[in-house]
Amino acid sequence: MVAHNVVGVHRAVDLRERAAHGGDPRRRVIEFATVEPLATARPAPVVVDALFGTGLSRALDAGDAAALARLVAQATLSIAMYLPSGIATVIRALLGDVPAVDVTVALGAVKPAHLLQPGAKQCGAVRVVPIGVETAS
């Protein structure tokens, strides 16, 4: 079995552009969609950090942390899903070097790390997206 680096960067595919260059965009999407290893990913205008979710209890691998920081620094807009990777959810601790993002999408409700330091300063503007789970204040 070959080991694969599961941490990668998905490049968005503009289906309208693909259709303009010859044919049904649904048939051409596989040809143009790419997944790049995080370590060698090219900069993009928008970066979405969705590397880790709830329950993270360790720092990111040094190589992944450096690559994420590089991509976030070069992006026009950086977005984290749930929390920026490298922040412990409940105790709100930074588990290593965590790049600050512009927007964090909180799923269901805000968590302590969205509101309290040192995690909050890395989250940027926090936007809550309802996911159908009842929350209590």
Side-chain angles (χ1 to χ4, degrees), residues 18-19 22-29:
R18 301 301 178 232
D24 183 351
R26 294 170 295 177
R27 292 185 184 187
R28 300 185 60 81
V29 69

Side-chain angles (χ1 to χ4, degrees), residues 12-26 28-29 31-33:
V13 176
D14 186 338
L15 297 179
R16 292 168 299 193
E17 180 181 328
R18 301 301 178 232
H21 295 315
D24 183 351
R26 294 170 295 177
R28 300 185 60 81
V29 69
E31 178 182 338
F32 291 101

Side-chain angles (χ1 to χ4, degrees), residues 33-97:
T34 61
V35 177
E36 302 171 14
L38 185 59
T40 58
R42 293 169 289 148
V46 177
V47 170
V48 178
D49 170 7
L51 297 176
F52 290 94
T54 185
L56 184 65
S57 60
R58 62 173 179 81
L60 294 179
D61 169 81
D64 291 342
L68 179 60
R70 174 182 56 82
L71 292 169
V72 167
Q74 294 174 330
T76 303
L77 175 64
S78 56
I79 303 166
M81 295 303 299
Y82 191 70
L83 277 170
S85 293
I87 298 177
T89 308
V90 177
I91 63 170
R92 70 193 181 276
L94 302 182
L95 301 172
D97 293 331

